[in-house]
Amino acid sequence: MHWVIAPGVRIEQTRRRLARLRDDGLVDQITLPQAGRTRVWFPSRYGVQLAGEWPEMRGRRPSRTVSDPTAVRLKVGHALTVTALAFLQNARRHGDLCRPLDWIPEVHHPTGSGKAVIPDALLYYRRGSDDGDGSTLRAFVEVDRATVGPERLAAKLTAYARLHRYVPTVPGRRPTLQEPALEDWRRHYPLFPRLLFILDGTGPTGAKTRIRALRAAAREPAAFSFLHDVPVLAALLTAC
């Protein structure tokens, strides 16, 4: 948390800030049972409610369990891996623009019939500063900790292809030439974000196996048009 929000100050200042937020009922913490007694901070329901009013967060649907201590404890391994830190530090090193609120975890995207795609994070990253001629990159980030088989990882590619073509139906309204039906993602993004798989919990051989599974899924007919329009990338976390 310190490295994300305030690496230029003493860590005691970050601790005091978190303690004040806890006193105000905006955040809470749990202590992990492992050696070191690591403390994990998470937002309270009140904190989520207030943060949802920020202009940057409007229209974003938070996870239903983001404020539940038990859920936080069970998901902490994944949550600590799904971090913006690698991207934030890279931006700081190269003079790019990527701030803490440019990393939004678990953004809900419906795909119809009660199904949805929920990326581990939505990332905004701008090459160059605000004053330069840099380009803005958006990405759906999926962090794979090798806890499922390669085939289940590759199935996520099909889910994103479904999101790419999903057009919601509006009862009582028919598309016209003047107002054609549009894919739902166009309400949020000028271009569909690229898809970035971050591989963790496996070595180079395991990573190659998982990338081969992704390539096999890319040859499926359902993914053809999606891959024609959307870049899909994969990288080891240690290489980020």
Side-chain angles (χ1 to χ4, degrees):
M1 180 66 72
H2 174 68
W3 291 333
V4 168
I5 65 174
V9 303
R10 293 174 60 86
I11 194 169
E12 289 77 8
Q13 294 187 38
T14 301
R15 290 173 178 153
R16 286 196 294 268
R17 291 170 180 170
L18 288 169
R20 286 198 297 268
L21 291 174
R22 190 183 189 190
D23 290 341
D24 291 337
L26 297 172
V27 301
D28 205 346
Q29 66 175 10
I30 59 173
T31 301
L32 300 182
Q34 292 91 342
R37 308 290 291 173
T38 300
R39 290 179 293 176
V40 177
W41 294 86
F42 61 95
S44 66
R45 291 184 180 179
Y46 179 49
V48 171
Q49 180 182 350
L50 288 184
E53 297 298 323
W54 297 351
E56 299 89 347
M57 296 290 107
R58 286 175 186 165
R60 302 298 182 189
R61 176 179 172 181
S63 168
R64 296 178 180 177
T65 59
V66 68
S67 300
D68 182 87
T70 301
V72 171
R73 184 176 292 105
L74 293 174
K75 296 169 62 177
V76 68
H78 191 73
L80 291 178
T81 301
V82 182
T83 175
L85 188 58
F87 295 97
L88 292 173
Q89 290 181 329
N90 186 76
R92 291 163 184 163
R93 284 195 300 267
H94 295 91
D96 296 334
L97 191 63
C98 184
R99 295 168 177 156
L101 290 181
D102 290 329
W103 177 274
I104 307 174
E106 299 186 348
V107 180
H108 186 275
H109 295 82
T111 57
S113 303
K115 297 180 180 180
V117 169
I118 307 177
D120 288 324
L122 169 64
L123 169 70
Y124 292 89
Y125 190 103
R126 180 175 177 80
R127 288 176 176 166
S129 64
D130 277 335
D131 300 330
D133 298 326
S135 58
T136 298
L137 305 176
R138 301 173 195 83
F140 290 135
V141 182
E142 288 286 347
V143 176
D144 170 57
R145 300 179 65 225
T147 55
V148 299
E151 292 78 11
R152 289 184 61 186
L153 171 67
K156 294 185 177 183
L157 196 61
T158 304
Y160 279 97
R162 185 169 59 249
L163 172 62
H164 183 253
R165 64 176 181 268
Y166 169 62
V167 178
T169 57
V170 180
R173 181 180 177 183
R174 295 182 178 180
T176 65
L177 291 176
Q178 292 75 23
E179 296 185 11
L182 296 176
E183 295 85 353
D184 189 60
W185 63 264
R186 296 185 187 276
R187 298 190 299 114
H188 307 286
Y189 314 106
L191 294 173
F192 195 93
R194 63 190 60 200
L195 180 54
L196 175 59
F197 289 93
I198 301 295
L199 307 179
D200 189 37
T202 185
T205 301
K208 290 179 180 178
T209 299
R210 303 180 85 75
I211 291 173
R212 281 198 298 268
L214 289 170
R215 286 175 174 165
R219 292 192 288 269
E220 296 292 330
F224 180 78
S225 61
F226 171 68
L227 291 167
H228 183 268
D229 296 331
V230 180
V232 177
L233 306 99
L236 282 168
L237 182 62
T238 54
C240 292

